[in-house]
Amino acid sequence: KARTWVGCLGFKHSSPMPSSFIGNALRGTFFLIFGLWWSVKYPLKYLRRKANAEDQPSYGAQRLEVLEGTVKAFFALAGILAEQFAPAGPHLLLYSAETHSWTDLTPWHYTTMYLFFLLSGVVEVVSHSPLKLPLGLDHLALAIALLMEGGKCIGNVGAALGGHLRCLLATGIFAGALCALLEVFIRDHLVLELFRTSSFLLQGSWFWQMGFVLSPPWGGPGWDPADRGNFVFLTMCFCWHYAGALAVMAANAVASRWYVVGEEHQEGSRNELCQS
Amino acid sequence: KARTWVGCLGFKHSSPMPSSFIGNALRGTFFLIFGLWWSVKYPLKYLRRKANAEDQPSYGAQRLEVLEGTVKAFFALAGILAEQFAPAGPHLLLYSAETHSWTDLTPWHYTTMYLFFLLSGVVEVVSHSPLKLPLGLDHLALAIALLMEGGKCIGNVGAALGGHLRCLLATGIFAGALCALLEVFIRDHLVLELFRTSSFLLQGSWFWQMGFVLSPPWGGPGWDPADRGNFVFLTMCFCWHYAGALAVMAANAVASRWYVVGEEHQEGSRNELCQS
Amino acid sequence: KARTWVGCLGFKHSSPMPSSFIGNALRGTFFLIFGLWWSVKYPLKYLRRKANAEDQPSYGAQRLEVLEGTVKAFFALAGILAEQFAPAGPHLLLYSAETHSWTDLTPWHYTTMYLFFLLSGVVEVVSHSPLKLPLGLDHLALAIALLMEGGKCIGNVGAALGGHLRCLLATGIFAGALCALLEVFIRDHLVLELFRTSSFLLQGSWFWQMGFVLSPPWGGPGWDPADRGNFVFLTMCFCWHYAGALAVMAANAVASRWYVVGEEHQEGSRNELCQS
Amino acid sequence: KARTWVGCLGFKHSSPMPSSFIGNALRGTFFLIFGLWWSVKYPLKYLRRKANAEDQPSYGAQRLEVLEGTVKAFFALAGILAEQFAPAGPHLLLYSAETHSWTDLTPWHYTTMYLFFLLSGVVEVVSHSPLKLPLGLDHLALAIALLMEGGKCIGNVGAALGGHLRCLLATGIFAGALCALLEVFIRDHLVLELFRTSSFLLQGSWFWQMGFVLSPPWGGPGWDPADRGNFVFLTMCFCWHYAGALAVMAANAVASRWYVVGEEHQEGSRNELCQS
């Protein structure tokens, strides 16, 4: 019985790794694979289509938007520094080794909030630069920043630790479901496709996180469900997972842009060779 | 008094069948009739209209989507097998006859989740095949899979058994209501019509299920409201009812396709006869 | 002090009528006035515009829809009769004078549900008749029927009687708010205007109902907040208020149709007189 | 350590002003700056575009709408006066100095409700005047009035004072997030931009309010979380903050109109000078 398919994956049944961790890891991998694949597929599709340049706003409006984005990003950065390095702030310390507990997480909470506004400012600057990000991405970034801010206001009510983790997961899933429902009517909309991708990446990495929290692979009893700090930290951690998912998507989009530009360059030089 | 209309339906009043079961059964039948009728009416309407073929994507994109759907279906199937036949899994056993209780329902829970992703993969494959399913059906299938997954994360909070059953029913009803509200603005949209049909079929069969759970026709006291396993099982059962409703709709759609193709063939041969 | 404006409305301050009843009655009247005015204004506007007849579906489809609506209305009527006159049913009795309490309200609950499906069937028949109701009204009627059905499944949780009444009011208000928000984007849509009208009529009459329940004008202590039957009855009563609002709107629409047809007739005969 | 950036802002660390007040004030300022900037930017953008005048309804319909708005505003004003100056009303007293507690807040509650209907009436009058406000603003004002009314019906459930304040904040944030999500699809829609602006102003001033309530700058212990009157007052206060935000936006819009008209006048006279 020990030589089932689980053994094929390199895990010995006699190892202390609990099966519920393996289950969460496999579920997470399922979503991660699709998220990662889509984070390459959709930028490539968009770049190949050579986004139509006619609905570009005038240059004057663009300069104003870039300035606004810069100011927003600067303020958010100032906010992060202020929250962290205020006299009573945590000074980038998350876990106090002395008291074996989390430091006061409120400044971290607001640091996370400012982080997403920083992101929103950066997206606003980049989307009005000559790089021509798809229209609507700046508003999506703002909406994400607000949802993250709002979600944290109401998120500290969870009863049990497992339920709290699943509740966070459910918000990610429902965001993806809503997005897929919109895509029934609005097909081939890049912003929706990217949002769905980010929702899948979030689900994937959160399943892994749930595995580590509830049944660690090294066999411990899981995190302490009585410590309220764990609830607050995991809520914040959920936001960081989403920030990570967005970072992975941005990296993949940049990589696929390089690939497409390189391809075009090759084609261009080949054409030149043919013509000469 | 015993010779009222209930007697006409073949139930003797002296039988132990409780009237609340009959009530639920009649309500269920009301919805089932409309759901079944619509599951034949809308595919026929769509097939007669001979869906315009011009908004068909290019062949290359289609092949990629078919591949993606196949991979998704394969992964989902692997997930089902893994959840069921892992060493600690239930090996397709749902009710343990030894302990007279449900087996551990967590693997069944995730089996159900993978089942809907399997369905989503199959719909994605079929909707890019030459069969030309209506556009948007693949995204609807994905949205359903995500809603089923997300719903189960938050669904285990029900207080009383009757309330839990009604709460599940309400989600099906509200989904249908939302769909009907959208149809006020977007008329004659096949995907919406099919979703509304599935919601009616779900309501219909769930009324029957409620009858069996709360007041069995053979007169027992109904299921044990103290057993938490019943709550988890019925939540899962709700998803299975929906899967059943989708299966009935698919069967009816295939049957109406056969009917229309046969009709066209007859017309074709008749025309040939007339011309010769 | 007793000769304030309240005295002008014909209420003596020395009367036992509590001021909170007057407040609710005045608020209710505020909404009723606008609801009643709109229920005349919008049909007149629509009838004057002489709804464009080109987006009329073909006659065959219409006959099918009329048949479907008839069957739906017939089934709903049968359901009402079955719920009421089943051996264990209430036989149209709502309040048992013997036990001084409500009769079993479950059949009434389902009678109300069938009532709205009956309404939906009638709207479906009429909207495909030569009367040419605005498009989308049949789906709105279906959505209302489903919302009423779904709302009753989750509506029995209210804590205090006043809170329960306000919670019901809030659903009516939010429905109106959602409708007004949609009208920001979709202007001059008759179905939305009618839905907003019905929401105002509902609010208006519900404020009056709240006044009677919480502080009766004849000075009693209000209804018993400990009797659960009151909660169930008031939830149902809310649906009846809505049915009443719809009936008032239908009557006003018919009256304004008569007025417009009469006006046209007069104009027609005057034109004939002029021409002859 | 006391000479950190906080000192730069003019606050000495030795002062009793708690750091959590400073944090809330800074966060509030962040949102206020953007809200104020947008409340100037968007009206200017709209006025420069010289709103197209062709989708103006006919004069007759306009006169009816103006009348309706006037009646609505008059009724709302009458309602405010009635609530305040009824024999049992608060006669504009909010805090009773004798009992050191809030007066009965129910009339104030309904005064606030009528205030937003008054606003809705005024917007309806002005938006059909020759000033040509953007289309849809009248429906937005009605939706805001209804949301304020509905929100107060369900808003009195808060558990802890801090949680209640954050819950109110979250509704403002989610309204802004929803608006930003809509703007992904509907770009450059003035009504949405104004709504987003109002949401930012609300957040900004509410962060300041939270600072004063939870950790007053003069060092007191914050408001009494056991007094239910505080909850009711703060819910109402949230509506007043929103009314204030709308007032600021209206003032800025009027100012930017004056600026644009003055600019045009100057250009006009310059052109005349050039031509003569």
Side-chain angles (χ1 to χ4, degrees):
Chain A
K1 209 165 184 180
R3 277 196 204 102
T4 52
W5 64 272
V6 181
C8 310
L9 293 173
F11 302 122
K12 288 195 202 137
H13 189 51
S14 57
S15 83
M17 189 179 291
S19 70
S20 63
F21 174 77
I22 301 174
N24 275 325
L26 287 175
R27 283 161 218 144
T29 311
F30 175 74
F31 287 105
L32 273 180
I33 287 170
F34 277 92
L36 288 171
W37 156 234
W38 285 345
S39 73
V40 176
K41 177 188 168 193
Y42 292 126
L44 275 179
K45 199 173 85 178
Y46 175 72
L47 287 164
R48 287 258 162 82
R49 247 192 283 159
K50 292 259 185 332
N52 41 355
E54 67 264 49
D55 46 1
Q56 209 64 16
S58 68
Y59 188 65
Q62 263 184 314
R63 232 173 25 182
L64 197 67
E65 301 290 330
V66 167
L67 184 70
E68 196 183 304
T70 315
V71 171
K72 197 197 280 174
F74 173 77
F75 277 6
L77 201 62
I80 290 175
L81 295 176
E83 296 285 350
Q84 286 292 330
F85 298 106
H91 297 267
L92 292 180
L93 264 179
L94 190 55
Y95 195 83
S96 153
E98 294 159 31
T99 61
H100 287 289
S101 68
W102 302 103
T103 58
D104 178 24
L105 289 173
T106 314
W108 280 100
H109 178 110
Y110 287 107
T111 302
T112 310
M113 178 186 102
Y114 283 125
L115 182 71
F116 280 92
F117 278 102
L118 173 61
L119 185 84
S120 158
V122 169
V123 168
E124 203 166 333
V125 169
V126 176
S127 75
H128 291 94
S129 72
L131 279 173
K132 285 172 193 161
L133 289 205
L135 287 171
L137 211 61
D138 48 346
H139 285 120
L140 183 70
L142 182 61
I144 288 171
L146 288 168
L147 286 175
M148 288 288 159
E149 192 199 348
K152 262 174 300 174
C153 289
I154 57 166
N156 316 13
V157 206
L161 191 61
H164 187 62
L165 291 174
R166 270 202 299 276
C167 191
L168 288 169
L169 180 66
T171 59
I173 294 169
F174 282 130
L178 189 70
C179 184
L181 276 179
L182 277 176
E183 282 185 288
V184 173
F185 305 103
I186 311 172
R187 293 180 67 83
D188 282 318
H189 195 289
L190 184 65
V191 175
L192 284 177
E193 288 169 343
L194 291 177
F195 187 67
R196 177 157 48 88
T197 305
S198 73
S199 142
F200 265 67
L201 284 173
L202 178 65
Q203 280 179 61
S205 65
W206 195 247
F207 263 120
W208 277 89
Q209 177 81 47
M210 280 171 73
F212 277 103
V213 170
L214 296 177
S215 49
W218 43 83
W223 293 20
D224 180 12
D227 182 4
R228 294 305 301 175
N230 283 338
F231 283 80
V232 180
F233 172 72
L234 283 167
T235 310
M236 211 156 64
C237 193
F238 188 70
C239 297
W240 296 352
H241 274 259
Y242 195 61
L246 294 177
V248 166
M249 282 170 66
N252 277 352
V254 168
S256 48
R257 190 183 168 82
W258 273 344
Y259 175 73
V260 166
V261 169
E263 211 175 37
E264 275 170 14
H265 196 253
Q266 279 191 343
E267 270 182 35
S269 48
R270 221 179 301 143
N271 287 356
E272 275 175 31
L273 275 173
C274 292
Q275 285 176 341
S276 66
Chain B
K1 207 167 186 178
R3 278 196 204 101
T4 52
W5 64 271
V6 180
C8 308
L9 292 173
F11 302 121
K12 289 198 200 133
H13 189 52
S14 59
S15 84
M17 190 179 290
S19 69
S20 62
F21 174 76
I22 301 175
N24 275 326
L26 286 174
R27 283 160 218 145
T29 311
F30 175 75
F31 287 105
L32 273 180
I33 286 170
F34 278 93
L36 287 171
W37 156 234
W38 286 344
S39 72
V40 176
K41 177 189 168 194
Y42 292 125
L44 274 178
K45 199 173 86 178
Y46 175 73
L47 287 165
R48 287 256 162 82
R49 246 192 285 159
K50 291 257 186 333
N52 41 355
E54 66 264 50
D55 45 0
Q56 207 66 17
S58 68
Y59 187 66
Q62 262 183 315
R63 232 172 25 181
L64 197 68
E65 302 290 331
V66 167
L67 184 70
E68 195 183 305
T70 315
V71 171
K72 198 197 280 175
F74 172 77
F75 277 6
L77 201 62
I80 290 175
L81 295 176
E83 296 283 352
Q84 287 291 329
F85 298 107
H91 297 266
L92 292 179
L93 264 179
L94 190 56
Y95 195 84
S96 152
E98 295 158 31
T99 60
H100 287 288
S101 68
W102 302 103
T103 58
D104 178 23
L105 288 173
T106 315
W108 279 101
H109 177 110
Y110 287 108
T111 301
T112 310
M113 178 185 102
Y114 283 124
L115 182 71
F116 280 92
F117 278 102
L118 172 62
L119 185 83
S120 158
V122 169
V123 168
E124 203 166 333
V125 169
V126 176
S127 75
H128 290 94
S129 73
L131 278 173
K132 285 171 193 160
L133 288 206
L135 287 170
L137 211 61
D138 48 347
H139 286 120
L140 184 70
L142 182 61
I144 288 171
L146 288 168
L147 285 175
M148 288 289 158
E149 191 199 348
K152 262 174 299 173
C153 290
I154 57 165
N156 317 13
V157 207
L161 190 61
H164 187 63
L165 291 174
R166 270 202 299 276
C167 191
L168 288 170
L169 181 65
T171 59
I173 294 169
F174 283 130
L178 189 70
C179 184
L181 276 179
L182 276 176
E183 282 184 289
V184 173
F185 305 104
I186 311 172
R187 293 181 67 82
D188 280 318
H189 195 291
L190 182 65
V191 174
L192 284 177
E193 289 169 343
L194 291 177
F195 187 67
R196 176 157 48 88
T197 306
S198 73
S199 141
F200 265 67
L201 284 173
L202 177 65
Q203 279 179 62
S205 64
W206 195 247
F207 263 119
W208 277 89
Q209 178 82 45
M210 279 170 75
F212 278 103
V213 170
L214 296 176
S215 50
W218 42 83
W223 293 20
D224 180 12
D227 181 3
R228 296 304 300 174
N230 283 336
F231 284 80
V232 179
F233 173 72
L234 282 167
T235 310
M236 212 156 63
C237 194
F238 187 70
C239 297
W240 297 352
H241 274 259
Y242 196 61
L246 294 177
V248 166
M249 283 169 64
N252 277 352
V254 168
S256 47
R257 191 183 166 82
W258 273 344
Y259 175 73
V260 167
V261 169
E263 210 175 38
E264 275 170 14
H265 196 251
Q266 279 191 343
E267 271 181 36
S269 48
R270 221 180 301 145
N271 287 356
E272 275 175 30
L273 275 173
C274 293
Q275 285 176 343
S276 66
Chain C
K1 208 167 186 179
R3 278 196 205 103
T4 52
W5 65 271
V6 181
C8 309
L9 293 173
F11 302 121
K12 290 198 199 131
H13 188 52
S14 58
S15 84
M17 189 180 291
S19 69
S20 62
F21 174 77
I22 302 174
N24 276 326
L26 287 174
R27 283 160 218 147
T29 311
F30 175 74
F31 288 104
L32 272 179
I33 287 171
F34 277 93
L36 287 171
W37 156 233
W38 286 344
S39 74
V40 176
K41 177 188 168 194
Y42 292 125
L44 275 179
K45 200 172 85 177
Y46 175 73
L47 287 164
R48 288 256 162 82
R49 247 192 283 159
K50 293 260 187 332
N52 42 355
E54 66 265 48
D55 44 1
Q56 209 65 16
S58 68
Y59 187 65
Q62 262 182 316
R63 231 172 25 180
L64 197 67
E65 301 290 331
V66 166
L67 183 70
E68 193 183 307
T70 315
V71 171
K72 198 197 278 174
F74 172 77
F75 277 5
L77 202 62
I80 290 174
L81 294 176
E83 296 284 352
Q84 286 291 329
F85 298 106
H91 297 266
L92 292 180
L93 265 179
L94 191 55
Y95 194 84
S96 153
E98 294 158 31
T99 60
H100 287 288
S101 67
W102 302 103
T103 58
D104 178 23
L105 290 172
T106 314
W108 280 100
H109 178 110
Y110 288 108
T111 302
T112 310
M113 179 186 103
Y114 284 125
L115 183 70
F116 280 92
F117 278 102
L118 173 61
L119 186 84
S120 158
V122 170
V123 169
E124 203 167 333
V125 169
V126 176
S127 74
H128 291 94
S129 73
L131 280 173
K132 285 172 193 162
L133 288 205
L135 287 171
L137 211 60
D138 48 346
H139 285 120
L140 184 70
L142 181 61
I144 287 171
L146 287 167
L147 285 174
M148 288 290 158
E149 191 199 347
K152 261 174 300 174
C153 289
I154 57 165
N156 316 14
V157 207
L161 192 60
H164 187 63
L165 290 174
R166 270 202 299 277
C167 191
L168 287 169
L169 180 65
T171 59
I173 294 169
F174 283 130
L178 189 70
C179 185
L181 276 179
L182 276 176
E183 283 185 288
V184 173
F185 305 103
I186 311 172
R187 292 181 68 82
D188 281 319
H189 195 289
L190 183 65
V191 175
L192 283 177
E193 287 169 344
L194 290 177
F195 187 68
R196 176 155 49 88
T197 306
S198 73
S199 142
F200 264 68
L201 284 173
L202 177 65
Q203 279 179 61
S205 65
W206 195 247
F207 264 120
W208 277 89
Q209 178 80 48
M210 279 170 74
F212 278 103
V213 170
L214 297 176
S215 50
W218 44 83
W223 293 20
D224 181 11
D227 182 3
R228 296 303 301 175
N230 283 337
F231 284 80
V232 180
F233 173 72
L234 283 167
T235 310
M236 212 156 63
C237 194
F238 187 71
C239 297
W240 296 351
H241 273 260
Y242 195 62
L246 294 178
V248 166
M249 282 169 66
N252 277 352
V254 168
S256 47
R257 191 183 166 82
W258 272 344
Y259 175 73
V260 167
V261 168
E263 210 173 38
E264 275 170 14
H265 196 250
Q266 280 191 342
E267 270 181 35
S269 48
R270 220 179 302 142
N271 288 356
E272 274 175 29
L273 276 172
C274 293
Q275 286 177 343
S276 65
Chain D
K1 208 166 184 178
R3 276 196 207 101
T4 52
W5 65 271
V6 182
C8 310
L9 292 173
F11 301 122
K12 289 196 200 134
H13 189 51
S14 57
S15 84
M17 188 178 292
S19 69
S20 63
F21 174 77
I22 301 174
N24 275 326
L26 287 175
R27 282 160 217 146
T29 311
F30 175 74
F31 288 105
L32 273 180
I33 286 170
F34 277 92
L36 287 171
W37 157 233
W38 286 345
S39 74
V40 177
K41 176 188 168 193
Y42 292 126
L44 275 178
K45 201 173 85 176
Y46 174 72
L47 287 164
R48 288 255 163 83
R49 247 192 283 160
K50 292 259 185 333
N52 41 356
E54 67 265 48
D55 45 0
Q56 209 64 18
S58 68
Y59 188 66
Q62 263 183 314
R63 231 173 25 182
L64 196 67
E65 301 290 331
V66 166
L67 184 69
E68 194 182 306
T70 315
V71 171
K72 197 197 280 174
F74 172 77
F75 277 6
L77 201 62
I80 290 174
L81 294 176
E83 296 284 352
Q84 287 291 329
F85 298 106
H91 297 265
L92 293 181
L93 264 179
L94 190 54
Y95 195 84
S96 153
E98 294 158 31
T99 60
H100 286 289
S101 68
W102 302 103
T103 59
D104 178 23
L105 290 172
T106 314
W108 279 100
H109 177 110
Y110 287 108
T111 303
T112 309
M113 178 186 102
Y114 283 124
L115 182 70
F116 280 92
F117 278 102
L118 173 60
L119 185 85
S120 159
V122 170
V123 168
E124 202 166 334
V125 169
V126 177
S127 74
H128 291 95
S129 72
L131 279 174
K132 286 173 193 161
L133 288 206
L135 287 171
L137 211 60
D138 48 346
H139 285 121
L140 183 70
L142 181 61
I144 287 171
L146 288 168
L147 286 175
M148 289 288 159
E149 192 200 348
K152 262 174 300 174
C153 290
I154 57 164
N156 316 12
V157 207
L161 191 60
H164 187 63
L165 291 174
R166 271 202 299 276
C167 191
L168 288 169
L169 180 66
T171 60
I173 293 169
F174 283 129
L178 189 70
C179 184
L181 276 179
L182 276 177
E183 283 184 288
V184 173
F185 305 103
I186 311 172
R187 293 180 68 83
D188 282 318
H189 195 289
L190 184 65
V191 175
L192 283 178
E193 287 168 345
L194 290 178
F195 187 67
R196 177 156 48 89
T197 305
S198 73
S199 142
F200 264 67
L201 285 173
L202 178 65
Q203 279 180 61
S205 64
W206 195 247
F207 264 120
W208 277 88
Q209 179 80 47
M210 280 171 74
F212 278 103
V213 169
L214 296 177
S215 49
W218 43 84
W223 293 20
D224 180 11
D227 182 3
R228 294 305 300 174
N230 283 337
F231 284 80
V232 180
F233 173 71
L234 283 167
T235 310
M236 211 157 63
C237 193
F238 187 70
C239 297
W240 296 352
H241 273 260
Y242 195 61
L246 294 177
V248 167
M249 282 169 65
N252 278 352
V254 168
S256 47
R257 190 182 167 82
W258 273 344
Y259 175 74
V260 166
V261 169
E263 211 175 37
E264 275 171 12
H265 196 252
Q266 278 191 344
E267 270 180 36
S269 48
R270 221 181 301 145
N271 288 356
E272 275 176 29
L273 275 173
C274 292
Q275 285 177 342
S276 66

